[in-house]
Amino acid sequence: MRLVNKILFGLVGIVLMGFALYQISLWFFIPGLSDWAHTIDNSQQVVLPYVWLVILVLIGLVGLSLLLLGIFRPVTQKKLVLTNTTGKLEIPEAILAKNLQYALVEQFGLVEPKVDIKLLRSQRAKVKVRANVNDEQNIEHLATAINQYLSEYLQDRLDITAVKPVAQLSPLNRNKRVTVV
């Protein structure tokens, strides 16, 4: 998640939680807050407060979930930025995924690999590879080798640390049409 979205979700979550606490303090005693809320709102309705209570509890839960999402969701980037003394180079996420896809086909002979890469802050990335393999290959051993290759490839070539690389391999289904990479 980008930093701007993270800040926006956090602010919306705080506002919604504050609004929910204010409205709940009108019906249930919360020291300090209830007295202030009653001086602002003097409604004499019978059923409306209970309807508002249900609605506001739902708003408070939405606000809490947005706040937690804003706090705990990692910040992602769409481009890898490499800088040195001669300048700055921006590499889009899709180009990195395509390059890694070609390297996996060349190195391991995977069939129809799909590479998902999420660039995180501090030169880190989450990488997930889904591919088919021939029937005669050991899938568990190959998955371990691919995870190690992903870590080494990103570290050596781009100075990126791979966070939990995942290789999901399945046997090749001969009845399914194959796309050539």
Side-chain angles (χ1 to χ4, degrees):
M1 180 181 284
R2 287 182 279 180
L3 186 59
V4 175
N5 291 346
K6 194 171 172 121
I7 291 171
L8 181 67
F9 280 162
L11 290 176
V12 168
I14 288 171
V15 168
L16 286 176
M17 282 181 36
F19 182 66
L21 278 175
Y22 165 74
Q23 291 295 326
I24 290 171
S25 71
L26 290 174
W27 296 289
F28 298 104
F29 181 74
I30 299 174
L33 186 60
S34 292
D35 297 331
W36 175 75
H38 283 291
T39 59
I40 292 176
D41 187 30
N42 291 325
S43 65
Q44 300 296 326
Q45 301 292 329
V46 177
V47 178
L48 189 61
Y50 296 108
V51 173
W52 273 109
L53 179 64
V54 170
I55 291 170
L56 293 172
V57 165
L58 292 175
I59 288 174
L61 291 175
V62 169
L64 179 63
S65 63
L66 286 176
L67 178 64
L68 292 175
L69 184 66
I71 291 173
F72 294 113
R73 180 92 188 238
V75 177
T76 59
Q77 301 169 347
K78 293 293 180 188
K79 296 178 182 178
L80 173 66
V81 178
L82 301 173
T83 58
N84 62 11
T85 57
T86 58
K88 179 170 80 169
L89 175 65
E90 294 181 355
I91 304 171
E93 204 172 70
I95 300 297
L96 289 174
K98 198 67 160 174
N99 188 21
L100 198 52
Q101 183 180 10
Y102 287 136
L104 288 171
V105 168
E106 181 181 310
Q107 185 74 21
F108 296 101
L110 299 179
V111 179
E112 290 186 339
K114 292 180 179 80
V115 177
D116 295 325
I117 187 166
K118 297 288 182 201
L119 296 173
L120 306 172
R121 289 191 295 178
S122 304
Q123 294 294 96
R124 296 178 306 135
K126 285 186 178 180
V127 182
K128 184 176 183 179
V129 175
R130 291 183 307 264
N132 295 325
V133 294
N134 293 328
D135 295 332
E136 62 269 1
Q137 293 178 322
N138 184 358
I139 292 178
E140 294 172 4
H141 177 67
L142 188 61
T144 306
I146 289 173
N147 288 340
Q148 183 178 2
Y149 179 77
L150 290 173
S151 297
E152 291 172 0
Y153 181 88
L154 292 173
Q155 184 67 40
D156 293 343
R157 294 190 183 192
L158 299 170
D159 196 29
I160 297 176
T161 304
V163 179
K164 297 179 190 174
V166 176
Q168 293 179 342
L169 303 176
S170 59
L172 183 61
N173 185 356
R174 298 288 181 192
N175 297 334
K176 185 179 169 188
R177 190 174 163 183
V178 177
T179 305
V180 178
V181 178

